[in-house]
Amino acid sequence: MRQTPPPEHAVAPFTEVDPHRARQRFSIAPMLDWTDRHCRYFHRQLTGQTLLYTEMVTTGAILHGKGDYLAYSEEEHPLALQLGGSDPHALAQCAKRAEQRGYDEVNLNVGCPSDRVQNGRFGACLMGEAQLVADCVKAMKDSTSIPVTVKTRIGIDDQDSYEFLCEFIQTVAERGECDTFIVHARKAWLSGLSPKENREIPPLDYARVYQLKRDFPTLTIAINGGVKTLEEAKTHLQHLDGVMMGREAYQNPGILAQVDRELFGLDAAAADPAGVVQAMYPYIERELSDGASLGHITRHMLGLFQGIPGARQWRRYLSENAHKPGAGVAVVERALALVNLA
């Protein structure tokens, strides 16, 4: 008997009881220089369920750097730390520190193709060393009780066959005991393309990630790459356990206000953009009193009113005034008054 296919944008019933798998349902990608703690606090005002990721932090920075690279606000939970590195011992130390600091997950970057990352022997180049990745994950898992996950590509350079991807996943899953993979549905060129070009030029292959879930049904598989709408996310969730959204979530953060209802099935009103801005005021005042710059916080908020009259004035006012000496909450209030919220 022929089965009726699900509606094109139907959301699979959200009845997942495993809290870790449930968290993977929707997440915001780790983005260098973007998803800092100010950005994450802002995003959390828009969605309570989305899993947030830090920028990639190297093991060297955590273990030997002078700053506190693990700092975050309690309101950011659920929160994952993304690590860059390839030394199992150093990664294990960092994973243990992450657990001690209260992170909900540790993620290993096996997807970044930049030259700087390759020179440190981590990121996408590690796809060619599946056993080393397995050793790294196993060392982290042995040192902590929180989930350890891997973010990877579908291939690198000429090693881009489905068989290569399956061998990598199988090795890391079996020998590294990793049960969760976030897969960027593009391969990476390790030379010849910039990181930006590597996000755009290699073609997306969603079908390959769907097939991966069919061939490894017991693993938690989330997809990343090119997701721009919640309708697209719903389509992916018909095939996979989770969706990770990157630049669209940052450049058009208002989309996040619909996530808890549309993707997690919560019976709650979408976050009001003006209310979100006002909810940031106490945080802004606290951070300014600790020496932060207003512009470092509001730069993440510029795209909030996309499509709303006054959005351009909001962006312009903040861009021109937030970095001035002494700029405070009053600057944000004046910018908000320029938005037509009627």
Side-chain angles (χ1 to χ4, degrees):
M1 179 177 176
R2 185 172 180 270
Q3 292 184 331
T4 302
E8 183 179 359
H9 298 306
V11 180
F14 188 52
T15 57
E16 184 60 61
V17 294
D18 178 352
H20 170 58
R21 180 168 285 191
R23 281 200 299 266
Q24 289 294 335
R25 188 168 181 84
F26 187 79
S27 61
I28 298 175
M31 292 176 280
L32 199 60
D33 298 325
W34 285 11
T35 51
D36 63 19
R37 60 190 184 87
H38 301 316
C39 175
R40 300 190 303 265
Y41 190 96
F42 168 57
H43 285 168
R44 184 58 73 215
Q45 308 312 304
L46 290 153
T47 167
Q49 300 299 310
T50 298
L51 175 60
L52 304 179
Y53 281 80
T54 68
E55 306 167 88
M56 182 189 68
V57 186
T58 65
T59 55
I62 294 172
L63 298 177
H64 309 297
K66 294 181 179 179
D68 182 2
Y69 291 90
L70 298 180
Y72 68 92
S73 299
E74 285 298 320
E75 294 88 346
E76 295 174 37
H77 290 293
L79 177 64
L81 170 69
Q82 187 183 66
L83 291 173
S86 58
D87 179 336
H89 178 67
L91 286 164
Q93 286 182 285
C94 291
K96 187 173 183 178
R97 291 193 188 186
E99 181 178 29
Q100 291 169 343
R101 293 292 291 271
Y103 279 87
D104 300 293
E105 174 191 315
V106 175
N107 176 265
L108 180 64
N109 184 321
V110 190
C112 181
S114 77
D115 292 340
R116 182 171 63 87
V117 166
Q118 290 182 58
N119 291 337
R121 199 188 176 199
F122 53 92
C125 64
L126 288 177
M127 281 201 79
E129 300 186 68
Q131 183 57 62
L132 175 59
V133 174
D135 291 343
C136 290
V137 173
K138 184 64 166 61
M140 287 190 284
K141 288 184 69 69
D142 287 346
S143 70
T144 179
S145 61
I146 60 177
V148 177
T149 67
V150 168
K151 186 173 187 293
T152 187
R153 294 274 186 143
I154 58 173
I156 50 172
D157 295 338
D158 294 324
Q159 296 175 289
D160 63 350
S161 68
Y162 182 65
E163 291 71 25
F164 170 77
L165 176 61
C166 285
E167 184 176 344
F168 173 81
I169 296 294
Q170 184 168 0
T171 298
V172 178
E174 293 182 355
R175 300 185 182 182
E177 300 179 7
C178 182
D179 60 7
T180 301
F181 295 84
I182 301 99
V183 184
H184 188 147
R186 287 185 174 94
K187 77 171 184 179
W189 286 102
L190 300 181
S191 61
L193 294 182
S194 69
K196 181 178 185 296
E197 290 170 331
N198 259 306
R199 293 192 300 269
E200 299 171 351
I201 293 177
L204 287 161
D205 191 347
Y206 294 145
R208 183 171 296 195
V209 185
Y210 294 172
Q211 185 63 50
L212 199 63
K213 176 62 182 179
R214 289 193 291 269
D215 290 339
F216 295 89
T218 62
L219 297 180
T220 298
I221 305 287
I223 198 165
N224 172 229
V227 181
K228 295 185 179 299
T229 70
L230 298 190
E231 290 304 304
E232 292 174 8
K234 291 176 185 179
T235 298
H236 290 311
L237 288 171
Q238 294 177 42
H239 306 274
L240 299 162
D241 301 297
V243 175
M244 175 179 278
M245 181 178 283
R247 276 156 175 73
E248 187 66 24
Y250 186 90
Q251 295 167 342
N252 181 23
I255 196 173
L256 301 176
Q258 309 291 334
V259 167
D260 291 357
R261 184 177 66 230
E262 294 292 324
L263 300 185
F264 288 89
L266 297 187
D267 185 16
D272 168 58
V276 166
V277 173
Q278 292 161 350
M280 290 293 293
Y281 292 168
Y283 175 81
I284 291 171
E285 290 176 339
R286 185 176 79 210
E287 290 299 313
L288 294 181
S289 69
D290 287 339
S293 163
L294 178 65
H296 290 161
I297 301 172
T298 58
R299 70 187 182 99
H300 305 299
M301 303 166 62
L302 296 178
L304 178 60
F305 296 104
Q306 194 172 126
I308 297 175
R312 180 178 299 178
Q313 289 88 336
W314 156 264
R315 293 193 301 270
R316 178 182 300 165
Y317 193 87
L318 286 179
S319 298
E320 293 177 351
N321 295 280
H323 290 282
K324 292 180 177 179
V329 168
V331 170
V332 186
E333 291 177 322
R334 286 192 287 270
L336 183 59
L338 297 172
V339 183
N340 184 359
L341 297 170

